[in-house]
Amino acid sequence: LSRPFDIIGFCLRQARRAPRKPMPREILSTRASDRPDALAPRRLRRHRAAGFTLIEIMVVVVIIGLLAAFIVPQVMGRVDEARITKVKGDIQMLETALSMYRLDTARFPTTQQGLVALVKKPDDPAVRNWKSGGYLSRVSKDPWGNDYRYAYPGQRGREYDLYSVGPDGQEGTDESDKDNIGNWNLEE
């Protein structure tokens, strides 16, 4: 029975004689974040999340390709509709400006004066009460890059003709005039 106590006594004596090594600060710290071993799992997690795998990138590219394959054809068909809608809106805006011009001057601009008379005062002395600053800041072009056409008096049952020559940019024949958009066919 004395043998186990002798071993314990021997160990205790050896422990008292051996010089003590100071504990490193990292181990003595009470905050877990101060210890390097506590940060190791976070560093590994952060390192793994730094990029995407090739498979993840390929899946995203395939999804974008599928969306483009379904959406682009539908959107491309709407471009022409949007241009026609813009022309109709522009014509209505120009009609409003022409009405204001007529209210102030008691007449519409002549064909020679054209739509420029809405921006710059015509040199015609018969034009009185023209609003300083004009009726428009500028006359824009239609969506196909052509000027809007104006004719006074009108040839199509209106006081004046105000129109765009459409996508083909031509007028003068029955075939080329089919795509013209004017104040006489805005409701179509």
Side-chain angles (χ1 to χ4, degrees):
L1 290 180
S2 65
R3 193 164 176 100
F5 291 110
D6 290 337
I7 294 174
I8 293 173
F10 174 77
C11 290
L12 288 173
R13 281 190 299 269
Q14 290 299 329
R16 282 187 214 137
R17 288 185 201 156
R20 287 192 170 181
K21 293 182 184 175
M23 298 279 288
R25 281 175 110 173
E26 295 86 17
I27 296 174
L28 292 175
S29 174
T30 56
R31 293 187 315 178
S33 61
D34 289 349
R35 294 188 309 224
D37 60 329
L39 293 178
R42 280 192 203 150
R43 283 191 199 135
L44 291 176
R45 268 187 261 133
R46 217 177 306 140
H47 181 67
R48 274 185 264 153
F52 298 105
T53 65
L54 180 61
I55 292 175
E56 290 170 332
I57 293 172
M58 289 176 61
V59 167
V60 170
V61 169
V62 168
I63 291 171
I64 291 172
L66 289 173
L67 287 173
F70 289 114
I71 293 173
V72 169
Q74 293 177 4
V75 171
M76 292 308 290
R78 306 271 181 177
V79 171
D80 289 332
E81 291 176 31
R83 288 179 176 165
I84 291 169
T85 302
K86 182 187 182 317
V87 168
K88 290 179 178 180
D90 286 351
I91 288 174
Q92 289 173 343
M93 180 216 30
L94 290 169
E95 283 181 319
T96 302
L98 285 166
S99 296
M100 297 299 293
Y101 180 94
R102 182 177 181 195
L103 286 172
D104 289 345
T105 63
R107 54 186 246 149
F108 286 111
T110 64
T111 301
Q112 291 76 26
Q113 291 168 343
L115 297 173
V116 175
L118 300 173
V119 178
K120 181 181 171 194
K121 184 177 181 181
D123 293 332
D124 187 357
V127 176
R128 297 183 193 156
N129 300 327
W130 190 86
K131 179 181 156 190
S132 64
Y135 300 89
L136 294 173
S137 60
R138 64 183 171 83
V139 177
S140 62
K141 295 185 179 287
D142 70 10
W144 299 281
N146 304 311
D147 290 325
Y148 285 101
R149 310 289 168 94
Y150 171 77
Y152 178 76
Q155 305 295 318
R156 302 189 188 213
R158 302 274 180 142
E159 292 181 274
Y160 57 86
D161 290 341
L162 178 60
Y163 59 99
S164 164
V165 291
D168 67 358
Q170 299 177 1
E171 67 174 321
T173 65
D174 290 337
E175 193 61 35
S176 66
D177 287 350
K178 284 183 180 178
D179 66 345
N180 290 0
I181 303 162
N183 60 341
W184 63 87
N185 66 357
L186 286 179
E187 288 77 31
E188 293 178 8

